[in-house]
């Protein structure tokens, strides 16, 4: 009888270990499947808005700049098309003309429009590829039950490596910490993610530097597309007596 109980106990422990291992792996498998499923081939029309803020320096000597720009995008099997409105182009032209007369003049609209590169716009209307690349470059570190906007969700955690720093700059890095967290719905669809890293070091013996990046994202689904509905990026860099803080918020609104 004791031997039978021992065998049953081992079987229970084995099943428990198997279940726990499967549970830990399920979230990553579900996320991977969802990203494949939501590659996005159906046509889409949307407006993407960029709001930017930047402060250079500290105290009374600090200089601030902010801007706003909006473009229309259309995505489909043929690719991505971007429409720059007449009013937007007129503002950019006016800023450029003013800068010719005075190099110190700020160009807030051009600054905001500069954050609407093709790769950025594509990641808004086809978010699955961008998120897939990020987690491929990271190391899966765990899964737990959590909540998002008051509803149950699964939270996956990933650790970033020093590979996020360009190869030529790695020799100067003394400290690096980074990670990605992804909140999933029951079927593995991404609801939100958080990307962050903190790097510091010393270059040319006497020049210390730090850089901190914190980015939150909110996702949505339209047909077979994973959309990036909102992305807020905060970045702080300092070195050689200079400090720059910036905040960039991009939002996407579907159009009929």
């Amino acid at each position: 009888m004791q031997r039978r109980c021992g065998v049953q106990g081992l079987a229970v422990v084995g099943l428990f270990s198997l279940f726990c291992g499967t549970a830990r792996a399920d979230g990553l498998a579900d996320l991977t499947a969802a990203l494949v499923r939501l590659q996005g081939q159906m046509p889409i029309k949307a407006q993407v808005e960029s709001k930017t803020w930047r402060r250079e320096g500290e105290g009374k000597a600090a200089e601030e700049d902010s801007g706003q720009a909006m473009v229309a995008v259309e995505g489909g099997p043929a690719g991505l098309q971007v429409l720059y409105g007449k009013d937007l182009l007129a503002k950019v032209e006016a800023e450029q003309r003013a800068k010719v007369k005075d190099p110190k003049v700020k160009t807030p609209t051009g600054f905001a429009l500069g954050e609407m590169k093709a790769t950025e716009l594509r990641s808004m209307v086809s978010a699955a590829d961008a998120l897939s690349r990020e987690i491929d470059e990271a190391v899966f570190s765990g899964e737990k039950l959590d909540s998002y906007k008051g509803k149950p969700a699964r939270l996956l955690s990933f650790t970033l490596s020093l590979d996020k720093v360009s190869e030529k700059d790695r020799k100067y890095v003394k400290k690096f910490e980074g990670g990605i967290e992804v909140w999933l719905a029951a079927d593995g669809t991404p609801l939100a993610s958080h990307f962050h890293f903190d790097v510091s070091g010393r270059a040319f013996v006497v020049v210390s530097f730090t850089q901190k990046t914190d980015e939150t994202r909110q996702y949505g689904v339209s047909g077979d597309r994973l959309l990036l509905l909102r992305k807020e990026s905060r970045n702080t860099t300092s070195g050689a007596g200079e400090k720059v803080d910036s905040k960039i918020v991009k939002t996407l609104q579907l159009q009929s």
Side-chain angles (χ1 to χ4, degrees):
M1 177 64 69
Q2 290 180 348
R3 183 178 301 172
R4 181 180 300 175
C5 290
V7 171
Q8 289 176 339
L10 289 173
V12 169
V13 170
L15 287 172
F16 179 76
S17 300
L18 179 61
F19 172 79
C20 290
T22 303
R24 283 195 297 268
D26 279 350
L28 182 57
D30 290 347
L31 171 60
T32 302
L35 294 178
V36 172
R37 184 176 72 250
L38 297 171
Q39 289 292 313
Q41 298 299 318
M42 295 176 62
I44 185 175
K45 292 183 179 181
Q47 286 186 332
V48 178
E49 182 181 50
S50 171
K51 293 183 178 180
T52 57
W53 172 85
R54 174 186 170 95
R55 181 176 62 202
E56 188 170 351
E58 296 183 87
K60 295 181 179 180
E63 295 185 0
E64 291 191 14
D65 194 6
S66 62
Q68 181 176 349
M70 180 180 291
V71 299
V73 296
E74 294 187 16
L80 182 69
Q81 294 182 323
V82 184
L83 177 63
Y84 302 92
K86 182 178 179 180
D87 291 344
L88 175 65
L89 294 177
K91 287 182 179 179
V92 173
E93 177 63 20
E95 289 178 357
Q96 292 301 317
R97 285 183 177 275
K99 196 169 184 65
V100 170
K101 296 179 180 180
D102 183 359
K104 295 182 179 180
V105 167
K106 297 177 180 179
T107 57
T109 306
F111 179 33
L113 191 59
E115 294 296 330
M116 307 271 254
K117 300 178 180 67
T119 52
E120 282 288 307
L121 293 173
R122 185 178 184 278
S123 72
M124 299 289 288
V125 299
S126 298
D129 284 340
L131 183 55
S132 179
R133 286 195 305 273
E134 284 187 348
I135 62 174
D136 282 346
E137 295 175 350
V139 178
F140 178 63
S141 57
E143 174 184 352
K144 67 178 183 179
L145 295 178
D146 201 54
S147 63
Y148 179 71
K149 290 190 173 181
K151 296 182 179 180
R154 289 178 288 174
L155 176 59
L156 306 188
S157 298
F158 301 83
T159 302
L160 296 174
S161 70
L162 193 57
D163 291 342
K164 296 299 294 182
V165 178
S166 64
E167 186 174 355
K168 67 177 182 178
D169 293 333
R170 289 175 200 165
K171 59 184 177 182
Y172 303 121
V173 174
K174 302 300 182 183
K175 172 189 173 184
F176 180 88
E177 295 178 357
I180 305 172
E181 289 81 46
V182 185
W183 285 263
L184 305 182
D187 64 351
T189 299
L191 300 171
S193 66
H194 176 216
F195 173 94
H196 54 95
F197 73 84
D198 183 350
V199 58
S200 61
R202 186 181 297 275
F204 308 114
V205 182
V206 295
V207 180
S208 298
F209 65 89
T210 63
Q211 180 179 358
K212 294 183 180 181
T213 296
D214 192 275
E215 189 171 284
T216 57
R217 306 163 187 164
Q218 178 183 342
Y219 300 100
V221 174
S222 177
D224 63 348
R225 286 180 180 271
L226 182 67
L227 304 177
L228 183 49
L229 300 178
R230 188 179 190 277
K231 178 166 72 170
E232 179 175 325
S233 307
R234 293 176 177 268
N235 191 70
T236 299
T237 59
S238 62
E242 300 290 337
K243 182 179 180 181
V244 178
D245 294 296
S246 65
K247 175 182 175 181
I248 303 168
V249 179
K250 297 187 182 76
T251 54
L252 178 146
Q253 288 187 336
L254 289 174
Q255 303 294 300
S256 57

